[in-house]
Amino acid sequence: MQGYTIKNEPDLQINRLLQLFYKNNMHYEGNIIRPPSEADSIILQITKGCSHGRCSFCGAYGDKRFALKDLEIIKKDIAFAAHHMTDKRRAFLCDGDALVTPFNRLVQILEWIKEYLPQVNRISTYANCRSISMKSDDELKQLKELGLTTFYTGLESGSDSILQRINKGFSSADIIRESQRIKSLGIKSSVTVLLGIAGKEQSEKHAIATGKVITQMEPEQTAALSLMLVAGTPMAKERNAGRFIMPDKNELLRELYLMVDNINCKTLFLSNHASNYLAIKARLPKNKEKVKSEIEAAIRGDITLRPEWMRGL
Ligand code: SF4
């Protein structure tokens, strides 16, 4: 189980000031969202919003309409990073689905990163199933050679009926095919799954199907988050109308258990996101039994869970 490091105050303050300095000088528009593991990366916003933008639970980008960002602005941000972020070895491309950027444009951005930020040795991006399928094997290989080596993708659920219900825009067969394709090209992937997304009724079916689909996708990393309903989203409206009932704490832990139980590929499994009650960091399937015992202990009340007030997106 992963612990939490509380940094000492001076460090925290310097870190906050630095973040503010970056935020005020990079040309960020709207909410900037990144995976927890990209906290120390140069965050480069190359698109605005999400090209799909229809998932029924998602309030990530609010009213931000999808658009490609101006190349000159992106170049200015890279130049700023070249002066002020010389200690950073990673870069992360956002918004929601930065891989949808046309190939030649993406090549130009990656070449600028290579030229102005030679210390960067890993570039990652958000990528959805459709944007991966829009790139040929050759294109993906070239992007990888230019340093784009890791994709973050939202699976949410392995159940086709749930994927349809939440408007994800792909089927389990689509995402398995694209995952296996990027894997065969040597691109790493981190996949997000959502506890609670199927409601109380389909909780078990969702957990089992998700574990099985992850097994076929074989991502290097699987990250479980718990659904936090965002006001104004179609799913929150469903909840308000009584048509969606969120599983309770123990039902979410049971989902986590079933998901882990059904994952039979090598993956680093994380549930350390702030939305979860129980933080796990474990290599599967190697440590499956240990993780299952921990979850059982949490269900029995033998492990202290993250308190409600500390949970968030
Ligand atoms: S693809 Fe991701 S960012 Fe876009 S709407 Fe769906 S969950 Fe939100």
Side-chain angles (χ1 to χ4, degrees):
M1 203 168 103
Q2 200 180 32
Y4 290 91
T5 313
I6 307 294
K7 292 185 180 171
N8 66 34
E9 272 313 300
D11 276 359
L12 255 184
Q13 277 171 11
I14 290 166
N15 202 25
R16 275 188 199 135
L17 285 172
L18 268 175
Q19 294 305 329
L20 200 63
F21 176 61
Y22 299 152
K23 203 173 158 206
N24 288 339
N25 287 281
M26 299 285 276
H27 296 80
Y28 293 147
E29 293 184 43
N31 268 351
I32 298 294
I33 297 166
R34 55 144 182 86
S37 44
E38 298 293 335
D40 288 326
S41 302
I42 297 167
I43 308 296
L44 201 55
Q45 187 186 33
I46 68 168
T47 56
K48 286 183 284 184
C50 169
S51 64
H52 178 59
R54 285 193 291 271
C55 299
S56 65
F57 60 90
C58 178
Y61 298 106
D63 293 337
K64 212 195 278 186
R65 287 191 63 184
F66 176 76
L68 299 173
K69 278 186 79 173
D70 188 289
L71 270 179
E72 281 313 305
I73 297 281
I74 296 170
K75 195 174 182 184
K76 278 186 191 161
D77 283 350
I78 293 172
F80 173 81
H83 277 100
H84 300 285
M85 302 185 202
T86 47
D87 58 327
K88 294 193 183 284
R89 303 274 178 271
R90 292 176 171 193
F92 178 70
L93 310 180
C94 58
D95 276 348
D97 177 29
L99 187 69
V100 83
T101 302
F103 176 71
N104 289 337
R105 183 180 256 259
L106 206 42
V107 166
Q108 175 65 87
I109 294 166
L110 294 172
E111 281 175 348
W112 281 335
I113 295 177
K114 219 176 170 60
E115 182 180 348
Y116 296 106
L117 299 163
Q119 82 279 9
V120 167
N121 54 26
R122 191 187 101 161
I123 307 170
S124 315
T125 183
Y126 277 134
N128 71 25
C129 186
R130 190 171 131 260
S131 67
I132 299 171
S133 68
M134 284 163 64
K135 301 277 186 292
S136 69
D137 284 5
D138 271 354
E139 288 174 336
L140 289 170
K141 263 190 231 161
Q142 286 181 57
L143 297 176
K144 188 194 157 213
E145 271 155 30
L146 285 166
L148 186 57
T149 54
T150 308
F151 293 174
Y152 288 87
T153 305
L155 165 66
E156 330 307 359
S157 176
S159 155
D160 281 314
S161 60
I162 306 298
L163 287 172
Q164 224 171 19
R165 183 175 173 191
I166 63 175
N167 238 336
K168 202 58 205 169
F170 58 75
S171 68
S172 59
D174 295 333
I175 191 86
I176 291 167
R177 183 191 62 240
E178 292 309 320
S179 288
Q180 289 175 349
R181 194 163 71 92
I182 59 169
K183 195 165 185 73
S184 72
L185 298 170
I187 294 171
K188 295 195 169 103
S189 67
S190 176
V191 173
T192 304
V193 296
L194 263 182
L195 302 170
I197 191 71
K200 262 184 197 286
E201 239 174 61
Q202 306 210 50
S203 171
E204 186 173 323
K205 176 180 159 191
H206 156 63
I208 295 171
T210 304
K212 289 186 170 163
V213 169
I214 287 289
T215 301
Q216 293 184 72
M217 289 173 72
E218 296 182 79
E220 275 67 23
Q221 188 169 292
T222 305
L225 276 68
S226 296
L227 174 69
M228 308 283 281
L229 284 166
V230 178
T233 56
M235 195 166 249
K237 288 177 189 164
E238 291 271 299
R239 188 262 323 265
N240 296 344
R243 290 191 294 271
F244 177 85
I245 303 170
M246 188 68 193
D248 63 25
K249 199 189 289 183
N250 270 0
E251 286 165 335
L252 289 177
L253 289 169
R254 175 86 185 132
E255 252 182 47
L256 185 63
Y257 180 96
L258 285 174
M259 222 176 256
V260 166
D261 196 30
N262 281 279
I263 294 177
N264 290 304
C265 65
K266 279 191 183 167
T267 191
L268 175 64
F269 188 88
L270 305 168
S271 71
N272 54 356
H273 188 266
S275 60
N276 294 319
Y277 288 107
L278 180 67
I280 289 168
K281 182 180 184 183
R283 296 245 162 236
L284 295 181
K286 200 172 127 197
N287 297 313
K288 190 190 279 193
E289 293 312 314
K290 190 167 166 260
V291 171
K292 281 164 58 184
S293 306
E294 243 178 68
I295 302 171
E296 280 173 332
I299 293 172
R300 286 195 307 271
D302 295 345
I303 290 181
T304 311
L305 300 177
R306 178 177 281 131
E308 212 61 64
W309 63 270
M310 279 184 76
R311 292 178 67 229
L313 280 175

